[in-house]
């Protein structure tokens, strides 16, 4: 097959850049003020009077009702954020990295049937979603920790598949940066730098010969 650099550079690079995109979106995005803030005026009045128990109290009653509704909407948004406990988009980055890795290996292999590739991709996506739910409902883990653990397990699986000590070291550094040392956006940035360093190391490594591959 000639000289080839390790294939695992791609999933490492994909993971690093995907996490950086999540950081960029979370920093540049504007947090909405709740779904109630975008309701039409008549709908706001109806919801204020019926959902929050505010009757026809004139202007002051309406203003009080709207203020209560905004406070309740903000509290609802905050409770959802606490329950989700995750940087926006990190789970989607996990799913995207897995799907991109499967497609990359399928293209490089050129021997797998399309239905087998589709089955592996779909089965893996379902398994990731179920594992995330188990971590939330059964283990009571916050969202950032769940995403970091899922990615760490994926890196360990990649290290086993490629028989790579480098990827195993990257997995150890990744979990150290994403779970132990930091949280939130800092954890995303540090773990992204770790996997990107692993990707560059793979690209700069000595290509494998056909004799070494066998």
């Amino acid at each position: 097959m000639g000289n080839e650099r390790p294939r695992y550079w791609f999933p490492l690079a994909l993971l690093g850049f995907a996490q950086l995109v999540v950081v960029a979106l979370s920093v540049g995005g504007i947090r909405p003020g709740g779904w109630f803030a975008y309701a039409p005026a008549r709908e706001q009045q109806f919801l204020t009077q019926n959902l929050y128990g505010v009757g026809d109290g004139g202007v002051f009653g309406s203003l009080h009702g709207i203020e209560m509704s905004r406070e309740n909407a903000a509290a609802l948004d905050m409770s959802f954020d606490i329950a989700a406990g995750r940087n926006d988009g990190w789970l989607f980055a996990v799913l995207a990295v897995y799907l991109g890795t499967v497609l990359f290996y399928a293209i490089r292999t050129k021997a797998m049937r399309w239905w087998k590739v589709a089955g592996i991709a779909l089965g893996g996506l379902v398994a990731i979603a179920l594992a995330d739910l188990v971590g939330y409902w059964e283990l009571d883990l916050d969202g950032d920790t769940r995403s970091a653990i899922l990615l760490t397990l994926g890196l360990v699986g990649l290290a086993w598949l490629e028989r790579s000590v480098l990827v195993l070291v990257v997995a150890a550094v990744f979990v150290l940066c994403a779970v132990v040392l930091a949280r939130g956006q800092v954890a995303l940035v540090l773990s992204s730098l770790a996997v990107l360093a692993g990707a560059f190391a793979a690209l700069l490594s000595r290509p494998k010969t056909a004799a070494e591959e066998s």
Side-chain angles (χ1 to χ4, degrees), residues 10-11 14 93-107 121 125:
F10 180 81
L14 183 61
V94 176
L95 299 175
V97 169
Y98 172 77
L99 185 59
T101 301
V102 171
L103 293 178
F104 174 77
Y105 273 79
I107 293 173
L125 293 178

Side-chain angles (χ1 to χ4, degrees), residues 33-196:
W35 60 270
F36 189 86
Y38 301 97
R42 287 188 177 182
E43 186 177 348
Q44 283 187 0
Q45 183 178 1
F46 172 80
L47 291 171
T48 298
Q49 293 178 354
N50 291 276
L51 294 181
Y52 297 102
V54 180
D56 296 329
V59 176
F60 294 103
S62 298
L63 291 175
H64 179 64
I66 292 175
E67 187 65 26
M68 286 179 59
S69 66
R70 288 177 178 172
E71 290 178 358
N72 281 275
L76 190 62
D77 288 341
M78 185 176 297
S79 65
F80 177 79
D81 289 340
I82 293 174
R86 146 179 296 124
N87 281 291
D88 293 339
W90 201 352
L91 179 60
F92 296 102
V94 176
L95 299 175
V97 169
Y98 172 77
L99 185 59
T101 301
V102 171
L103 293 178
F104 174 77
Y105 273 79
I107 293 173
R108 290 292 301 271
T109 302
K110 297 179 181 180
M112 297 181 64
R113 303 277 184 159
W114 67 268
W115 54 267
K116 186 178 293 186
V117 176
I120 294 174
L122 183 59
L125 293 178
V126 172
I128 291 172
L130 290 177
D132 185 71
L133 288 176
V134 169
Y136 174 67
W137 291 110
E138 299 296 332
L139 303 178
D140 197 25
L141 299 174
D142 63 86
D144 289 350
T145 303
R146 298 197 306 271
S147 296
I149 290 175
L150 287 172
L151 289 172
T152 302
L153 293 176
L155 289 173
V156 172
L158 181 65
W160 175 81
L161 178 66
E162 293 287 351
R163 304 296 191 270
S164 171
V165 177
L166 174 61
V167 179
L168 193 61
V169 172
V170 170
V173 177
F174 179 88
V175 72
L176 184 66
C177 294
V179 177
V180 179
L181 296 181
R183 297 184 64 81
Q185 295 173 356
V186 177
L188 280 168
V189 173
L190 291 178
S191 58
S192 297
L193 295 177
V195 294
L196 286 175

